[in-house]
Amino acid sequence: MLRRAGPSLRHFLLERNSSAGHSSRSREAKMSRPVQARRLEGIDKNIWVEFVKLAATYSKGHPPLVKVLAQFFEKLLGRDLDPMTNVMVTVGAYQALFCCFQALVDEGDEVIIIEPFFDCYEPMVKMAGGTPVFVPLRPNPPKDGKLMSSADWQLDPAELASKFSERTKAIVLNSPNNPLGKVFSHGELGLIAELCVKHDVLCISDEVYEWLVYDGKQHTRIASLQGMWDRTVIIGSAGKTFSATGWKVGWAVGPDRLLQHLRTVHQNSVYHCATIAQEAVAQGFQRELMLYGKPESYFVQLPKELQQKRDWLVQSLDGVGMKPIIPEGTYFLVADISPFKSDVPDVPSSDEPYDSRFAKWMVKNKGLAAIPLSAFYSEAHKSNYTNFIRFCFAKEEATLKAASDILQKWKQEKTSS
Ligand code: PMP
């Protein structure tokens, strides 16, 4: 993966950082109010940025990762992108999220978060002085007795609309969603987009699982819907895209009028991402660009491999009496554990929720690990969702084989008791 030594990362990060400017802000502004948090006032200049930009004038080079990300997303979004102003590389998607909240959310702003949600959104909104406003995906079990799918968890359109007000600054969208594996449909995204445009609201679109979509479903990018490019930051992760979590490379893609403020936070926090990991990710994307849509493409192969693992886990959990919710995407699977209440009796003196007690019981008694779903809900709503746990099926063969043996044994015990 590391055949070619790239130009200095510092070089290109700095060059990109330096392109933030007030003239472009006013020219491109579409929203009626400033998008950036007041905390950024006066800190958008940086001595390193200024001087490295000067040096860069005499030693030009094309930073491979931002360039290939721009090329790739041009293809996906069907619009021209400038690698220097529409792409920002971060230390994992985590840092891209942090930069979004710090740059765009001000004291007193409300941010809509769809429950269940990746747990860092809530503290990150609060750390930026914002107020999270939660809206749940509500399960609608199929009437025919079939297993539920993540598509059966839906937003109530009226409830969603009621959360938007003049205080709303942004909505966080995570599709495919961690923990449910829900892939928001074109129609659902259209509804969110309409509300964002109507209320002049930004969209922080966490799409780290964009390539992990099953059953021939398509991932729709909300930024490609009418009126959304100018108000959306797309967040991605090489950790998920190339199954390389430890590399900690992520990115934000979006309009310069938003990204210029993310760059201000980036240059005053982490500032620099490991060059070697970025170079490796760049090479991965260059290969994927060449093989786009072909059977040899990793982005084509990975979901096929994971779909098989998903199907195996669905079957095995069903076999022991859990009710798995078939995920349309991601490598997570949520299962309903309500049939096991007699195995894990109530502890009267404890207020620990059932899902948490069940997950502990399962790891101790069966040797299988999972996360209680209530961990993905706000404090106020946790108690409504204590009958589910989340498994992860992105594991190597040996681990899956061990899990398979455990589940087989569990099934035999159930049938013989
Ligand atoms: N967003 C979601 C929805 C995630 O599940 C994760 C990782 N679990 C991240 C962001 C963070 O990604 P990274 O490892 O690239 O920081």
Side-chain angles (χ1 to χ4, degrees):
M1 289 293 265
L2 295 173
R3 286 190 307 275
R4 191 156 62 81
S8 140
L9 172 68
R10 157 174 289 216
H11 204 105
F12 72 74
L13 271 180
L14 292 173
E15 193 179 37
R16 280 182 299 123
N17 287 339
S18 67
S19 65
H22 295 281
S23 58
S24 63
R25 188 178 313 169
S26 52
R27 196 174 55 246
E28 291 173 16
K30 295 277 192 306
M31 292 173 81
S32 51
R33 51 184 164 158
V35 291
Q36 75 276 27
R38 284 188 296 270
R39 72 176 71 82
L40 304 192
E41 273 164 27
I43 61 161
D44 57 347
K45 293 238 169 16
N46 181 304
I47 187 75
W48 305 104
V49 174
E50 221 176 284
F51 279 85
V52 178
K53 186 188 175 194
L54 191 66
T57 312
Y58 302 100
S59 61
K60 276 216 177 333
H62 277 302
L65 183 53
V66 281
K67 187 173 162 208
V68 75
L69 278 169
Q71 283 175 316
F72 215 94
F73 276 87
E74 276 183 356
K75 210 177 175 71
L76 300 175
L77 296 166
R79 64 165 54 243
D80 289 344
L81 296 179
D82 179 342
M84 300 301 161
T85 58
N86 296 131
V87 180
M88 184 177 92
V89 173
T90 55
V91 181
Y94 240 97
Q95 197 209 352
L97 287 164
F98 180 79
C99 290
C100 274
F101 292 119
Q102 285 296 318
L104 306 174
V105 177
D106 226 328
E107 300 283 330
D109 285 344
E110 289 186 358
V111 177
I112 298 173
I113 298 178
I114 299 169
E115 290 181 302
F117 59 91
F118 179 49
D119 58 338
C120 74
Y121 302 153
E122 181 181 5
M124 283 197 191
V125 168
K126 287 181 174 164
M127 281 161 66
T131 305
V133 172
F134 299 99
V135 60
L137 286 163
R138 296 191 180 277
N140 303 294
K143 306 261 179 305
D144 53 12
K146 276 198 194 147
L147 286 178
M148 217 195 283
S149 144
S150 55
D152 296 320
W153 289 60
Q154 289 171 0
L155 291 164
D156 173 335
E159 189 177 18
L160 175 66
S162 76
K163 305 292 176 184
F164 283 76
S165 73
E166 71 280 2
R167 291 183 301 279
T168 313
K169 186 64 181 291
I171 181 167
V172 186
L173 173 70
N174 175 213
S175 180
N177 160 276
N178 176 8
L180 278 175
K182 180 181 172 68
V183 177
F184 283 68
S185 69
H186 201 275
E188 289 170 316
L189 295 174
L191 174 70
I192 296 171
E194 232 174 73
L195 289 164
C196 286
V197 172
K198 181 174 169 197
H199 295 275
D200 198 9
V201 162
L202 302 176
C203 180
I204 298 169
S205 186
D206 181 341
E207 303 182 27
V208 298
Y209 299 103
E210 61 187 319
W211 299 106
L212 306 183
V213 175
Y214 309 125
D215 307 315
K217 284 218 159 89
Q218 290 298 315
H219 168 61
T220 302
R221 291 173 179 78
I222 197 165
S224 66
L225 303 189
Q226 178 111 39
M228 288 308 287
W229 165 254
D230 273 314
R231 57 183 69 252
T232 303
V233 180
I234 301 171
I235 289 172
S237 161
K240 320 297 171 194
T241 301
F242 292 110
S243 313
T245 306
W247 290 5
K248 287 307 286 182
V249 175
W251 51 86
V253 172
D256 186 38
R257 79 184 193 98
L258 301 182
L259 256 63
Q260 62 178 298
H261 305 300
L262 271 66
R263 288 193 291 268
T264 301
V265 177
H266 192 287
Q267 78 200 12
N268 289 301
S269 52
V270 169
Y271 185 77
H272 183 91
C273 313
T275 314
I276 192 160
Q278 292 199 74
E279 182 58 25
V281 176
Q283 303 249 341
F285 267 110
Q286 283 154 7
R287 182 181 180 278
E288 287 307 301
L289 200 54
M290 231 160 49
L291 298 174
Y292 190 72
K294 297 199 175 132
E296 308 91 290
S297 154
Y298 187 66
F299 296 169
V300 171
Q301 288 174 356
L302 182 63
K304 285 192 180 148
E305 185 191 316
L306 283 166
Q307 187 172 324
Q308 283 176 2
K309 293 180 176 172
R310 176 201 69 169
D311 292 345
W312 158 79
L313 187 60
V314 167
Q315 245 185 359
S316 310
L317 294 177
D318 194 29
V320 300
M322 289 188 203
K323 291 185 265 174
I325 298 162
I326 304 167
E328 305 154 277
T330 75
Y331 42 59
F332 302 114
L333 184 152
V334 170
D336 183 339
I337 46 158
S338 42
F340 292 85
K341 293 238 157 115
S342 57
D343 294 299
V344 187
D346 273 348
V347 182
S349 57
S350 154
D351 54 6
E352 185 176 7
Y354 168 62
D355 57 352
S356 171
R357 285 186 290 115
F358 179 89
K360 287 180 187 169
W361 170 85
M362 190 172 70
V363 84
K364 274 189 214 147
N365 293 280
K366 305 289 179 190
L368 275 186
I371 308 279
L373 191 70
S374 58
F376 299 87
Y377 282 86
S378 61
E379 210 48 51
H381 300 155
K382 268 184 200 319
S383 59
N384 299 333
Y385 296 90
T386 59
N387 282 338
F388 302 92
I389 52 173
R390 191 206 70 174
F391 290 91
C392 172
F393 53 88
K395 303 284 181 197
E396 62 280 11
E397 295 305 323
T399 310
L400 290 178
K401 169 80 180 64
S404 176
D405 292 346
I406 291 169
L407 287 162
Q408 280 287 350
K409 189 162 160 253
W410 191 347
K411 186 177 171 182
Q412 280 158 11
E413 284 164 9
K414 278 215 97 116
T415 39
S416 62
S417 65

